[in-house]
């Protein structure tokens, strides 16, 4: 067991990995369609690599960096150049401190000119820094002799443009690196001083090049004049684009649009931070497919559940192999041995806990209270529904659900024969016990998970349905960080309990798993990185959406099974509602399905389907898989996603829906101006 690692899942962010670890922990998503082929390093088309937090974007981008590729080729620079035919210059926009280029003492176009110069120095710095890395790994004089040629090209270009009478001269690449770093430091210093003086001293800044032209011309000359770099692509892999100001993004887009081979860009960004394709060239915007390619990682990782499960298993295996090192005999079964340490949960566990801790099940008490006003013989009804259930709470829930459905069908009758309805349910249950297929079988197939969730929630028992390694993979839903974070917290919880989860014979309790699931769900919900007015709208929309989705799971008359999402007519709701949904989708709070659903009045036009990100399901005892997908009416969409709807109006709407699904199924009137169509739940 590694002495340096206490928890193999302790590091959850790829930015915290060394380059050795980036390579060591790398797992290709799809062996049939590898990421290398998917991103196609052989082409010069720029790429915007987009995804939600934790999607694996940074790990992927760093994997294609020079430092990681050197690990792959065991520091053989010639083999790297011959086989890869590209050099990936990785860094982040975050180190630019882009917010510094802002302040009322200068106009935006003035800040832009300063940023152009600063960013050019930054690109030069990245280039020279990695060329030094390449040089340091060259093992013979033959492979090192290009250093002087590269220095001469950069030196000559600088001297053509410099205003100094003294020409610049460099002996080593390291001296060039110091030069570019010092130039950037001067600008940093002047920006800080300007915050106090309210003016920027332009005289301190030397501009030895035309911003936007220098770096690409340098690289072009290197590629044709230095044999070592012939036919080599120079890919600037720049992460955290979302940290730039909007006008800075437009400038970066301009550089990408105006690139010059063999230089190109891969830009990493959170999906919500990629909102503009504008460039500084009037009337020109980046066209996806011709000027650049958008790569949506979330869609890539969610495209196939089976492939994602295999990918997740390999991710976990890599961490475990590193942790155990050579101190484990059965290396091939390392994943399955780990998986078997998780205490398993089944319906029997819940039913046993209920028997031990609950005097009268909540569903019995609730039905008694609902029936008293309408049926003097309510005790007979209860007896019929409990017949032969042998205190099995799940059997009872099947009977109660079927009874509620029969009650709902007759709710408009003046005198309902509740005893008769209960006798029908009783006979159906007897037939079910005798293996006859009937109404009970349909209920069990559709509603079992929802009824188990009801039992846990109603009776104050922990809902363990989310535990187990397979469920954790489902919860993560294509997001590797969520999975690793779940396992990190589980191991920590288990260690605190003295369960020795990583040792032979150790076991990870249900409680250790349960607490981790809720902690990660809360992290995802509370750390959404949404700011300003969007944050207020986000919490209001999600609260109302989850309230509404819960109706499908906690109601007496379950109309759909495993409801986690919805479909709606995009063209018939307001632009503001569609915008709010776009925000939730871009932050991966809700997920858009690849399938389109034909609506009732769609005339062949597909309606989008969305579902809540399952990582948050435990917060509201919602399901983790999508089965039923109701169509939300325009009115429903307005009450949930239109933030201008006041709480009083929303509460009336919600209560009307809730009353419709719960005994005695009496629909209360609400004001005409907000009254929805109540023919069915989402009509």
């Amino acid at each position: 067991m590694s002495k340096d690692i206490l928890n193999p899942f302790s590091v959850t962010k790829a930015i915290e990995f060394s380059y050795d670890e980036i390579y060591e922990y790398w797992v290709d998503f799809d062996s049939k369609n590898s990421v290398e082929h998917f991103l196609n390093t052989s082409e010069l088309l720029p790429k915007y690599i987009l995804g939600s937090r934790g999607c694996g974007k940074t790990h992927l981008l760093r994997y294609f960096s020079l430092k990681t590729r050197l690990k792959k080729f065991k520091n053989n620079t010639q083999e790297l150049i011959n086989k890869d035919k590209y050099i990936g210059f990785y860094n982040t926009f975050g180190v630019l401190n882009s917010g510094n280029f802002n302040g009322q003492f200068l106009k935006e176009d003035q800040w832009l000119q300063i940023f152009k110069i600063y960013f050019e120095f930054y690109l030069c710095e990245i280039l020279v820094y990695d060329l030094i890395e390449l040089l340091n790994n060259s093992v013979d004089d033959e492979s090192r002799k290009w250093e002087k040629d590269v220095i001469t090209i950069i030196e000559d270009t600088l001297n053509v443009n410099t205003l100094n009478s003294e020409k610049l001269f460099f002996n080593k690449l390291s001296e060039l690196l110091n030069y570019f770093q010092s130039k950037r430091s001067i600008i940093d210093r002047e920006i800080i001083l300007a915050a106090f003086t309210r003016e920027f001293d332009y005289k301190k800044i030397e501009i030895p090049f035309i911003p936007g032209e220098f770096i690409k011309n340098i690289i072009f000359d290197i590629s044709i004049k230095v044999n070592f770099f012939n036919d080599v692509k120079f890919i600037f892999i720049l992460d955290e684009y979302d940290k730039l100001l909007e006008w800075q993004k437009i400038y970066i887009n301009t550089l990408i649009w105006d690139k010059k081979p063999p230089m190109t860009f891969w830009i990493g960004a959170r999906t919500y931070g990629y909102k503009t394709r504008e460039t500084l060239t009037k009337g020109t915007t980046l066209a996806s497919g011709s000027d650049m390619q958008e790569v949506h990682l979330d869609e890539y990782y969610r495209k196939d559940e089976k492939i994602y499960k295999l990918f997740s298993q390999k991710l976990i295996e890599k961490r475990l192999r590193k942790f155990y090192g050579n101190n484990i005999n059965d290396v091939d079964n390392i994943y399955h041995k780990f998986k078997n340490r998780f205490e398993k949960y089944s319906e029997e566990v819940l039913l046993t806990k209920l028997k031990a801790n609950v005097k009268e099940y909540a569903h019995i008490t609730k039905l008694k209270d609902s029936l008293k006003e309408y049926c003097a013989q309510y005790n007979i009804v209860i007896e019929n529904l409990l017949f032969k259930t042998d205190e099995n709470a799940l059997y009872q829930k099947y009977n109660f659900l079927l009874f509620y459905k029969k009650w709902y069908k007759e709710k408009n009758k003046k005198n309902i024969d509740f005893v008769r309805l209960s006798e029908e349910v009783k006979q159906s249950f007897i037939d079910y016990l005798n293996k006859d297929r009937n109404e009970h079988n349909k209920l069990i197939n559709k509603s079992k998970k929802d009824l188990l969730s009801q039992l846990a929630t109603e009776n104050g028992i922990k809902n363990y349905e989310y535990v187990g390694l397979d469920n954790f993979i489902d919860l993560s839903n294509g997001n590797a960080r969520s999975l690793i974070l779940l396992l990190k917290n589980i191991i920590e919880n288990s260690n605190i309990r003295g369960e020795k989860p990583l040792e032979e014979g150790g076991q990870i309790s249900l409680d250790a798993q349960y607490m981790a699931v809720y902690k990660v769900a809360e992290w995802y919900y509370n750390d959404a990185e949404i700011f300003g007015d969007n944050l207020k709208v986000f919490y209001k929309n999600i609260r109302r959406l989850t309230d509404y989705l819960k109706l499908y799971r906690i109601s007496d008359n379950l109309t759909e099974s495993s409801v986690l999402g919805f479909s709606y007519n995009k063209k018939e709701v307001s632009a503001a509602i569609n915008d709010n949904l776009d925000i939730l989708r871009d932050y991966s709070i809700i997920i858009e399905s690849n399938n389109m659903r034909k609506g009732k009045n769609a005339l062949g036009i597909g309606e989008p389907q969305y579902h809540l990100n399952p990582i948050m399901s435990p917060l509201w005892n919602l399901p983790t898989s999508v089965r039923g997908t109701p169509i939300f009416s325009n009115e429903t969409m307005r009450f949930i996603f239109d933030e201008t709807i006041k709480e009083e109006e929303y509460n009336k709407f919600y209560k009307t829906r809730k009353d419709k699904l719960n005994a005695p199924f009496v629909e209360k009137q609400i004001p005409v101006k907000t009254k929805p169509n109540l023919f069915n739940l989402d009509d």
Side-chain angles (χ1 to χ4, degrees), residues 567-682:
S567 178
Y568 78 104
N569 192 321
K570 194 169 187 175
K571 293 189 175 181
E572 292 186 9
V573 300
S574 69
I577 289 175
N578 283 323
D579 287 345
N580 288 343
L581 285 167
D582 286 345
I583 291 169
L584 294 174
R585 182 200 60 207
D586 289 346
Y587 281 85
S588 206
I589 300 300
I590 62 172
I591 295 166
E592 186 171 7
S593 169
N594 291 328
N595 301 319
M596 299 291 279
R597 178 172 184 169
K598 184 177 177 181
K600 294 179 180 178
N601 303 308
L603 299 176
I605 299 171
E607 294 175 341
Q609 293 188 61
Y610 295 95
H611 64 269
L612 189 74
N613 192 321
I615 194 66
M616 297 184 295
S617 289
L619 295 178
W620 303 283
N621 275 327
L622 290 169
T624 58
S625 58
V626 182
R627 187 171 178 180
T629 307
I631 301 174
F632 281 5
S633 68
N634 301 337
E635 193 73 7
T636 298
M637 291 297 292
R638 189 168 74 87
F639 276 107
I640 295 175
F641 295 108
D642 185 345
E643 71 273 14
T644 65
I645 296 290
K646 295 179 180 177
E647 282 301 293
E648 182 184 357
E649 292 180 278
Y650 168 75
N651 290 335
K652 288 178 180 177
F653 159 80
Y654 176 79
K655 189 176 185 309
T656 300
R657 293 298 209 254
K658 186 176 180 180
D659 288 342
K660 183 182 175 183
L661 285 176
N662 289 281
F665 310 110
V666 177
E667 297 167 12
K668 303 289 177 62
Q669 294 298 310
I670 60 176
V672 174
K673 64 176 181 179
T674 59
K675 184 176 180 179
N677 185 340
L678 298 175
F679 284 108
N680 68 51
L681 184 64
D682 292 295

Side-chain angles (χ1 to χ4, degrees), residues 439-627:
E439 292 174 295
H440 271 77
N441 295 93
K442 293 178 183 178
L443 286 180
I444 292 167
N445 290 335
K446 286 185 64 176
S447 307
K448 184 175 181 178
K449 277 193 173 183
D450 292 327
L451 293 176
L452 287 169
S453 175
Q454 281 189 12
L455 280 170
T457 305
E458 291 168 352
N459 295 284
I461 302 294
K462 290 177 182 176
N463 184 4
Y464 291 118
E465 71 171 287
Y466 308 105
V467 304
L469 200 47
D470 289 335
N471 281 331
F472 300 146
I473 292 171
D474 290 340
L475 280 169
S476 67
N477 198 237
N479 189 286
R481 188 190 299 173
S482 294
L483 175 60
I484 299 301
L485 195 57
L486 277 165
L487 295 174
K488 172 184 182 289
N489 281 279
I490 286 165
I491 298 300
E492 288 175 355
N493 292 342
S494 188
N495 273 325
I496 290 170
R497 286 168 171 73
E499 296 168 355
K500 300 180 179 179
L502 298 167
E503 296 182 24
E504 197 70 38
Q507 188 179 51
I508 304 169
S509 66
L510 290 174
D511 279 337
Q513 299 174 58
Y514 174 88
M515 289 184 66
V517 165
Y518 276 79
K519 184 175 180 179
V520 174
E522 285 179 343
W523 160 78
Y524 201 93
Y525 178 62
N526 293 322
D527 193 36
E529 297 183 348
I530 304 175
F531 304 101
D533 291 338
N534 285 342
L535 183 63
K536 297 176 184 176
V537 174
F538 158 71
Y539 281 117
K540 185 180 286 187
N541 287 170
I542 291 301
R543 177 178 56 77
R544 290 178 177 181
L545 174 63
T546 52
D547 276 352
Y548 198 76
L549 292 176
K550 276 196 297 183
L551 286 178
Y552 289 95
R553 199 165 220 217
I554 64 173
S555 300
D556 295 335
N557 180 27
L558 293 174
T559 58
E560 298 265 6
S561 62
S562 296
V563 174
L564 190 62
F566 60 94
S567 178
Y568 78 104
N569 192 321
K570 194 169 187 175
K571 293 189 175 181
E572 292 186 9
V573 300
S574 69
I577 289 175
N578 283 323
D579 287 345
N580 288 343
L581 285 167
D582 286 345
I583 291 169
L584 294 174
R585 182 200 60 207
D586 289 346
Y587 281 85
S588 206
I589 300 300
I590 62 172
I591 295 166
E592 186 171 7
S593 169
N594 291 328
N595 301 319
M596 299 291 279
R597 178 172 184 169
K598 184 177 177 181
K600 294 179 180 178
N601 303 308
L603 299 176
I605 299 171
E607 294 175 341
Q609 293 188 61
Y610 295 95
H611 64 269
L612 189 74
N613 192 321
I615 194 66
M616 297 184 295
S617 289
L619 295 178
W620 303 283
N621 275 327
L622 290 169
T624 58
S625 58
V626 182
R627 187 171 178 180

